[in-house]
Amino acid sequence: MSRNNTLLFQGVSYALASGQVLSVRGANGIGKSTLLRILAGFIEPQQGSVSYDNQVIFQDVAAYQHGIHYLGHDNGVRQYLTVYENLTFYAVLNDRVLSTSQCNEVIQRVGLWAFRDTQALCLSAGQLRRLSLAKLLLRPAPFWILDEPTTALDDQGQQILADLINQQLQQNGMVVMATHQDIALTSKPNVLRLGS
Amino acid sequence: MTLFFSLVSYELRITMRQAFSWVTPLVFFIIVICLFPLSIGTHSALLSEIAPGMIWVTALLAVLISIGSLFRTEDEEGSLSLLLLSPYPLSVLVFAKIASYWLTHCLPLICVTPLLGFMLHLPALQVLVLCLTLLLGTPALCLLGAIGAALLVGIRGNGLLLPILIMPLYIPILIFGTSAVLAASQEQPLSAYFAIMGAFTFMSVAMAPILTAVALRMGVSQ
């Protein structure tokens, strides 16, 4: 895969099974985010293919994308909506009926209860990341793709992230994440190192 | 339908909370139109003759200066991926966004048009026809503008690209919009003008959201 005439990576091959987590590592600019965007179906690889459930994802990318969670570099949070409204907006977009109590529970779980009615514009980078993580709890998806999920998170935030990933793995879900930091997971993550 | 109205309501809430985004084109529209009598004089015959074209061109420019930001905030926030990963057709989500944009950015322009029309000595019938043509034509301006805005997602410093891309598509709407007002002043039948403008708008409703969705997917894949 190359971007702007620069080769990022080639010959990357990996099979991930249910209940496993893959940590993509490598230096800045090596193509971790590009790889994750390929896995999310946003970019088609120049060579090779990505298969999910024995089906090439780009054959029906829309159907594939409904079964994944993708948290990119940016938090995907609407700045002028409150924490609560961001979650209900996400639920509406994903055809989920979310009761107020369910939404409150999710907000409490990510530690943003005190900011429930605060516009995302006024949140810190770490709080925005937590809000972004809260979306993982709103709809079940067997495959999570997380780009630098630990960015800006404090210790408590990282523990929340670890708990979410552990829960996903217990439910036989899969997680691929690009990260520079170790996360306290119950099972050791598989590591794919780009650029080596 | 519930999804459509829910999304429109969220978008309206967001726009209302950043008032500068919808107030700026409105103030631009009013100021530019007020500049004409100041620069060419207050001769009522001349002003009423050029008023329809002046108001239409200014409305078109007001749309052009603001429609470029239709997807910019989402692009910067990373929330475009939320739209792309939604199980609903992207074209429906995009259409809801364009509808809310029209409500907040174009409807206020149409609401102040009668005042500006009277200021420019436009007779009541022509003011009415002008407002009707704006009601029919501005949705098409927004829908066509949205295609350009989506095509430019991810391209930094695209300030002048959007007008160059979109302006040619606006020409037929502008011609029929101003011609309808001229026809009203000459007491000619107006139905053909309204029919053609309606056709433009319905064609835009049918095609623009789909093309915008395709352009957005292309933009995100860059």
Side-chain angles (χ1 to χ4, degrees), chain A residues 36-112:
Chain A
L36 295 197
R37 287 171 68 77
I38 290 172
L39 294 181
F42 292 135
I43 307 174
E44 274 199 62
Q46 285 153 347
Q47 285 177 3
S49 65
V50 181
S51 295
Y52 179 78
D53 225 0
N54 295 321
Q55 202 167 7
V56 175
I57 63 169
F58 290 99
Q59 280 177 358
D60 186 0
V61 75
Y64 162 73
Q65 285 178 328
H66 303 159
I68 66 166
H69 264 305
Y70 171 79
L71 294 188
H73 258 303
D74 304 311
N75 292 304
V77 164
R78 305 300 305 265
Q79 298 286 322
Y80 286 90
L81 293 180
T82 65
V83 167
Y84 178 81
E85 288 167 343
N86 258 293
L87 296 183
T88 54
F89 174 71
Y90 185 74
V92 166
L93 271 182
N94 286 282
D95 195 21
R96 304 290 295 179
V97 181
L98 193 65
S99 70
T100 308
S101 60
Q102 282 173 312
C103 194
N104 289 344
E105 203 178 302
V106 169
I107 295 171
Q108 274 172 334
R109 177 139 184 219
V110 295
L112 289 177

Side-chain angles (χ1 to χ4, degrees), chain B residues 39-56:
Chain B
S39 59
I40 62 171
T42 53
H43 312 292
S44 58
L46 178 63
L47 282 177
S48 68
E49 197 178 327
I50 63 166
M54 188 197 304
I55 291 178
W56 251 104

Side-chain angles (χ1 to χ4, degrees), chain A residues 126-142:
Chain A
Q127 288 166 335
L128 284 172
R129 205 60 182 163
R130 285 181 185 219
L131 177 54
S132 182
L133 292 178
K135 287 184 279 184
L136 297 172
L137 291 163
L138 291 184
R139 77 178 165 90

